[in-house]
mmCIF file of all heavy atoms in Angstrom:
data_model
loop_
_atom_site.group_PDB
_atom_site.id
_atom_site.type_symbol
_atom_site.label_atom_id
_atom_site.label_comp_id
_atom_site.label_asym_id
_atom_site.label_seq_id
_atom_site.Cartn_x
_atom_site.Cartn_y
_atom_site.Cartn_z
ATOM 1 N N GLN A 1519 3.465 -16.602 -13.674
ATOM 2 C CA GLN A 1519 3.052 -17.366 -12.494
ATOM 3 C C GLN A 1519 4.248 -17.721 -11.611
ATOM 4 O O GLN A 1519 4.132 -17.738 -10.381
ATOM 5 C CB GLN A 1519 2.316 -18.626 -12.941
ATOM 6 C CG GLN A 1519 0.962 -18.329 -13.588
ATOM 7 C CD GLN A 1519 0.311 -19.559 -14.191
ATOM 8 O OE1 GLN A 1519 0.955 -20.576 -14.425
ATOM 9 N NE2 GLN A 1519 -0.992 -19.460 -14.483
ATOM 10 N N LYS A 1520 5.382 -17.971 -12.230
ATOM 11 C CA LYS A 1520 6.599 -18.269 -11.484
ATOM 12 C C LYS A 1520 7.012 -17.086 -10.613
ATOM 13 O O LYS A 1520 7.576 -17.259 -9.519
ATOM 14 C CB LYS A 1520 7.726 -18.620 -12.454
ATOM 15 C CG LYS A 1520 9.032 -19.001 -11.775
ATOM 16 C CD LYS A 1520 10.089 -19.359 -12.811
ATOM 17 C CE LYS A 1520 11.418 -19.713 -12.135
ATOM 18 N NZ LYS A 1520 12.461 -20.043 -13.142
ATOM 19 N N HIS A 1521 6.708 -15.885 -11.073
ATOM 20 C CA HIS A 1521 7.039 -14.669 -10.320
ATOM 21 C C HIS A 1521 5.869 -14.213 -9.444
ATOM 22 O O HIS A 1521 5.817 -13.062 -8.999
ATOM 23 C CB HIS A 1521 7.433 -13.546 -11.277
ATOM 24 C CG HIS A 1521 8.798 -13.737 -11.880
ATOM 25 N ND1 HIS A 1521 9.024 -14.538 -12.977
ATOM 26 C CD2 HIS A 1521 10.007 -13.236 -11.519
ATOM 27 C CE1 HIS A 1521 10.313 -14.505 -13.282
ATOM 28 N NE2 HIS A 1521 10.935 -13.723 -12.421
ATOM 29 N N ASN A 1522 4.942 -15.138 -9.197
ATOM 30 C CA ASN A 1522 3.836 -14.918 -8.255
ATOM 31 C C ASN A 1522 2.854 -13.820 -8.685
ATOM 32 O O ASN A 1522 2.195 -13.198 -7.838
ATOM 33 C CB ASN A 1522 4.378 -14.596 -6.856
ATOM 34 C CG ASN A 1522 5.200 -15.735 -6.290
ATOM 35 O OD1 ASN A 1522 4.818 -16.902 -6.385
ATOM 36 N ND2 ASN A 1522 6.356 -15.405 -5.714
ATOM 37 N N ALA A 1523 2.750 -13.588 -9.958
ATOM 38 C CA ALA A 1523 1.749 -12.639 -10.448
ATOM 39 C C ALA A 1523 0.413 -13.351 -10.618
ATOM 40 O O ALA A 1523 0.369 -14.541 -10.944
ATOM 41 C CB ALA A 1523 2.187 -12.043 -11.780
ATOM 42 N N LYS A 1524 -0.656 -12.628 -10.363
ATOM 43 C CA LYS A 1524 -1.982 -13.156 -10.698
ATOM 44 C C LYS A 1524 -2.093 -13.172 -12.219
ATOM 45 O O LYS A 1524 -1.556 -12.296 -12.897
ATOM 46 C CB LYS A 1524 -3.076 -12.284 -10.090
ATOM 47 C CG LYS A 1524 -3.125 -12.309 -8.568
ATOM 48 C CD LYS A 1524 -4.207 -11.371 -8.083
ATOM 49 C CE LYS A 1524 -4.429 -11.500 -6.581
ATOM 50 N NZ LYS A 1524 -3.222 -11.244 -5.777
ATOM 51 N N THR A 1525 -2.809 -14.137 -12.753
ATOM 52 C CA THR A 1525 -2.912 -14.228 -14.215
ATOM 53 C C THR A 1525 -4.352 -14.498 -14.649
ATOM 54 O O THR A 1525 -5.124 -15.143 -13.939
ATOM 55 C CB THR A 1525 -2.022 -15.349 -14.783
ATOM 56 O OG1 THR A 1525 -2.408 -16.599 -14.206
ATOM 57 C CG2 THR A 1525 -0.555 -15.082 -14.506
ATOM 58 N N VAL A 1526 -4.674 -13.972 -15.818
ATOM 59 C CA VAL A 1526 -5.924 -14.283 -16.489
ATOM 60 C C VAL A 1526 -5.583 -14.366 -17.972
ATOM 61 O O VAL A 1526 -4.750 -13.601 -18.466
ATOM 62 C CB VAL A 1526 -7.007 -13.212 -16.210
ATOM 63 C CG1 VAL A 1526 -6.556 -11.843 -16.678
ATOM 64 C CG2 VAL A 1526 -8.321 -13.588 -16.851
ATOM 65 N N SER A 1527 -6.192 -15.321 -18.684
ATOM 66 C CA SER A 1527 -5.773 -15.573 -20.062
ATOM 67 C C SER A 1527 -6.934 -15.552 -21.046
ATOM 68 O O SER A 1527 -8.054 -15.952 -20.724
ATOM 69 C CB SER A 1527 -5.078 -16.932 -20.161
ATOM 70 O OG SER A 1527 -3.862 -16.945 -19.454
ATOM 71 N N HIS A 1528 -6.639 -15.045 -22.245
ATOM 72 C CA HIS A 1528 -7.525 -15.207 -23.391
ATOM 73 C C HIS A 1528 -7.111 -16.475 -24.134
ATOM 74 O O HIS A 1528 -5.915 -16.748 -24.275
ATOM 75 C CB HIS A 1528 -7.408 -14.015 -24.349
ATOM 76 C CG HIS A 1528 -7.872 -12.719 -23.769
ATOM 77 N ND1 HIS A 1528 -7.543 -11.499 -24.315
ATOM 78 C CD2 HIS A 1528 -8.664 -12.451 -22.689
ATOM 79 C CE1 HIS A 1528 -8.100 -10.538 -23.602
ATOM 80 N NE2 HIS A 1528 -8.779 -11.095 -22.607
ATOM 81 N N LYS A 1529 -8.073 -17.225 -24.621
ATOM 82 C CA LYS A 1529 -7.751 -18.452 -25.344
ATOM 83 C C LYS A 1529 -7.020 -18.155 -26.653
ATOM 84 O O LYS A 1529 -6.207 -18.950 -27.124
ATOM 85 C CB LYS A 1529 -9.023 -19.250 -25.619
ATOM 86 C CG LYS A 1529 -9.650 -19.832 -24.355
ATOM 87 C CD LYS A 1529 -10.879 -20.672 -24.683
ATOM 88 C CE LYS A 1529 -11.475 -21.263 -23.419
ATOM 89 N NZ LYS A 1529 -12.679 -22.093 -23.712
ATOM 90 N N LYS A 1530 -7.334 -17.015 -27.260
ATOM 91 C CA LYS A 1530 -6.644 -16.612 -28.480
ATOM 92 C C LYS A 1530 -6.337 -15.121 -28.414
ATOM 93 O O LYS A 1530 -6.938 -14.384 -27.616
ATOM 94 C CB LYS A 1530 -7.477 -16.922 -29.719
ATOM 95 C CG LYS A 1530 -8.806 -16.196 -29.776
ATOM 96 C CD LYS A 1530 -9.564 -16.562 -31.054
ATOM 97 C CE LYS A 1530 -10.894 -15.799 -31.141
ATOM 98 N NZ LYS A 1530 -11.632 -16.124 -32.382
ATOM 99 N N ASN A 1531 -5.416 -14.674 -29.237
ATOM 100 C CA ASN A 1531 -5.026 -13.271 -29.244
ATOM 101 C C ASN A 1531 -6.187 -12.386 -29.705
ATOM 102 O O ASN A 1531 -6.751 -12.593 -30.777
ATOM 103 C CB ASN A 1531 -3.816 -13.076 -30.170
ATOM 104 C CG ASN A 1531 -3.364 -11.626 -30.215
ATOM 105 O OD1 ASN A 1531 -3.500 -10.963 -31.230
ATOM 106 N ND2 ASN A 1531 -2.837 -11.138 -29.116
ATOM 107 N N GLN A 1532 -6.550 -11.404 -28.871
ATOM 108 C CA GLN A 1532 -7.674 -10.520 -29.185
ATOM 109 C C GLN A 1532 -7.252 -9.066 -29.391
ATOM 110 O O GLN A 1532 -8.014 -8.278 -29.932
ATOM 111 C CB GLN A 1532 -8.713 -10.582 -28.054
ATOM 112 C CG GLN A 1532 -9.327 -11.960 -27.866
ATOM 113 C CD GLN A 1532 -10.369 -11.971 -26.754
ATOM 114 O OE1 GLN A 1532 -11.051 -10.980 -26.506
ATOM 115 N NE2 GLN A 1532 -10.496 -13.098 -26.067
ATOM 116 N N GLY A 1533 -6.060 -8.713 -28.975
ATOM 117 C CA GLY A 1533 -5.600 -7.336 -29.105
ATOM 118 C C GLY A 1533 -5.381 -6.705 -27.739
ATOM 119 O O GLY A 1533 -5.999 -7.098 -26.748
ATOM 120 N N VAL A 1534 -4.492 -5.711 -27.702
ATOM 121 C CA VAL A 1534 -4.146 -5.101 -26.423
ATOM 122 C C VAL A 1534 -5.332 -4.357 -25.814
ATOM 123 O O VAL A 1534 -5.450 -4.258 -24.581
ATOM 124 C CB VAL A 1534 -2.932 -4.153 -26.591
ATOM 125 C CG1 VAL A 1534 -3.284 -2.935 -27.435
ATOM 126 C CG2 VAL A 1534 -2.376 -3.723 -25.246
ATOM 127 N N GLY A 1535 -6.244 -3.846 -26.648
ATOM 128 C CA GLY A 1535 -7.439 -3.197 -26.116
ATOM 129 C C GLY A 1535 -8.319 -4.172 -25.356
ATOM 130 O O GLY A 1535 -8.823 -3.863 -24.273
#
Side-chain angles (χ1 to χ4, degrees):
Q1519 292 173 343
K1520 182 179 179 181
H1521 286 83
N1522 298 316
K1524 293 178 172 58
T1525 59
V1526 59
S1527 294
H1528 295 163
K1529 291 183 179 180
K1530 62 180 182 179
N1531 180 249
Q1532 298 181 31
V1534 67

